[in-house]
Amino acid sequence: MATAHSVPARQAFTFENKVYQPHIGTVQCYNLKKEQWIPLVVLGSDEKLLFSFDDLRGGSRIYWYTIEHCRSDWQSSGLSTTDYMERLPEDRITDYKYSFGTLQKYTSYALAFPNEQVRPKIPGNYLLKVYEQGDQRKPVVSQRFYVLAPSVNISADVVASPQVALRQTNQKLNFTVFHSSPIQNPYADLKVLVMQNGNPLATKLNTRPQFIRQGSLVYTEMTSNDFPGLNEYRKFDIRSLRYKAENVQQIVRDTGVRVRLFADLKTAGDKYSNRIDEDGRFYIRNQDGRDDRTESDYVNVSFTLNAVAPTGDGEAYVIGRFNNYRLDDESRLTYDASSKQFSGTMKLKQGLYDYRYVWADKSTHMTDQAVFEGSFYETGNTYQVFVYYRRPGSRWEELIGFTETDTRER
């Protein structure tokens, strides 16, 4: 059994949004122009990403960061840092602030980039890597982000699924990529990734347009880019710990703060109910103090789902952008067969949160986001379209197009 003074085992970074240390909380990364939006900047622009996290041990630590260029499938491009970075290959995070007036002591670290020290020079997918004491064998956080050099335009439209059996539950994205420069072989050189609500559990890869026309590639094949519409996200509000806001049943203060949410019901099989949500996002907010970053406390939030286990061999999880939609030990729920109830607790910073329940079947290795929530073609969702291009003779894929469309704009 490890002691408080034991040396942690060496780890390696993986190419995903991941927290590697149990004392790290509330990772955020978004374009400064739109809070909690897709972490994407246009190459050569003045746009910046804000990246931040909290260290729940308090005090100050020496954290370094670097970036790595990735392929469209989020594996390393295998390039030298001089191929994709200007200026320095790594730098220290120097912006940190201590929590104030909170029961949970923590230190908040933040970074705005690209900056004068670390700056990407080619477009594509990137992984931001944060590590301790300048040693990449001591990973702390990894975060995906995108650098866009727009050279194509994208027109996208969401409709109800044309497949009769899925018409009431699914949404289909049709899109066209317009290009002014010739793309010699779109089947080999072009890939288009479609994502629902920025959720890596809901992505589809397109490698073959249905029609190739002069100056445009059309992706309208009947069964492709067909997504379960799912349901509007559930939500709760813990901006204040002085009163019980939306979906909060109980607030208990002792050595820390515990919040119990009202028990959730399975909504699959119900009729569509229009709820206003944030498509899975979360916002750190604090109505009890002045500074959201340093005066927001950490709360042990208890979730309860009243539902029967869908299969005999699987696990239920609670997910959202707040935990990078990860199915891990922290997000896993415990099932009590006698009460037909799932439950679990997570430590979260004060704010507004969207969440939903998913089922991971161990025998099929499939994740089902609809079994507890239901799926409706009317649900409001945002869809992101990323266009990647490998130029003839190039060693890497570039991100040359991006658009986002909202079903509520129909």
Side-chain angles (χ1 to χ4, degrees), residues 271-340:
K271 290 183 178 179
Y272 171 71
S273 177
N274 187 16
R275 303 189 298 258
I276 296 174
D277 71 354
E278 296 292 339
D279 290 338
R281 294 186 284 265
F282 72 102
Y283 298 90
I284 299 304
R285 295 288 188 273
N286 171 20
Q287 294 178 337
D288 303 330
R290 289 176 293 182
D291 187 341
D292 293 332
R293 178 180 173 186
T294 58
E295 294 183 41
S296 299
D297 216 330
Y298 272 81
V299 178
N300 286 310
V301 179
S302 295
F303 297 85
T304 308
L305 172 64
N306 291 332
V308 176
T311 65
D313 189 19
E315 306 269 20
Y317 297 84
V318 58
I319 61 168
R321 179 118 186 227
F322 67 91
N323 65 355
N324 286 315
Y325 300 93
R326 289 187 62 83
L327 310 184
D328 56 18
D329 290 343
E330 189 180 8
S331 62
R332 183 167 51 233
L333 302 174
T334 302
Y335 184 56
D336 182 349
S338 61
S339 62
K340 298 176 183 174

Side-chain angles (χ1 to χ4, degrees), residues 24-87:
I24 299 298
T26 316
V27 177
Q28 301 185 81
C29 187
Y30 54 83
N31 188 304
L32 273 168
K33 293 183 177 179
K34 189 173 181 183
E35 186 180 359
Q36 295 299 359
W37 190 61
I38 296 294
L40 179 146
V41 291
V42 174
L43 186 68
S45 72
D46 62 354
E47 294 180 350
K48 290 189 183 299
L49 298 178
L50 176 67
F51 169 76
S52 64
F53 64 91
D54 295 338
D55 187 331
L56 304 188
R57 297 173 297 180
S60 62
R61 302 292 192 289
I62 299 173
Y63 288 122
W64 287 72
Y65 70 98
T66 188
I67 61 176
E68 182 168 356
H69 192 275
C70 301
R71 305 187 314 231
S72 59
D73 63 357
W74 290 105
Q75 296 300 310
S76 174
S77 297
L79 302 177
S80 162
T81 55
T82 56
D83 289 325
Y84 60 85
M85 289 176 71
E86 297 179 8
R87 305 179 185 165

Side-chain angles (χ1 to χ4, degrees), residues 6 18 112 118 123 134 171 200 206 259 276 285 305 308 311 323 326 350 380 409:
S6 62
K18 186 173 180 180
V118 174
Q171 299 169 345
N206 295 260
V259 165
I276 296 174
R285 295 288 188 273
L305 172 64
V308 176
T311 65
N323 65 355
R326 289 187 62 83
Q350 278 183 267
E409 296 169 359

Side-chain angles (χ1 to χ4, degrees), residues 123-222:
N125 287 356
Y126 281 86
L127 191 76
L128 172 70
K129 298 190 274 191
V130 178
Y131 41 96
E132 282 198 80
Q133 299 168 331
D135 186 349
Q136 291 198 36
R137 296 171 301 175
K138 296 179 179 179
V140 177
V141 179
S142 54
Q143 173 70 49
R144 295 173 173 182
F145 69 97
Y146 305 88
V147 176
L148 171 68
S151 62
V152 299
N153 292 314
I154 308 163
S155 169
D157 183 42
V158 182
V159 297
S161 173
Q163 302 178 70
V164 175
L166 301 176
R167 191 159 293 168
Q168 297 303 312
T169 62
N170 281 33
Q171 299 169 345
K172 173 168 165 47
L173 183 74
N174 294 317
F175 62 92
T176 301
V177 177
F178 298 96
H179 57 94
S180 54
S181 300
I183 296 175
Q184 302 295 343
N185 188 351
Y187 294 131
D189 301 334
L190 200 77
K191 294 177 183 174
V192 184
L193 188 81
V194 176
M195 185 182 294
Q196 184 189 65
N197 296 329
N199 180 356
L201 296 178
T203 61
K204 295 187 185 295
L205 176 66
N206 295 260
T207 57
R208 300 182 67 83
Q210 187 177 21
F211 302 110
I212 299 177
R213 296 176 178 152
Q214 183 70 30
S216 66
L217 305 169
V218 182
Y219 296 80
T220 54
E221 198 273 320
M222 191 171 107

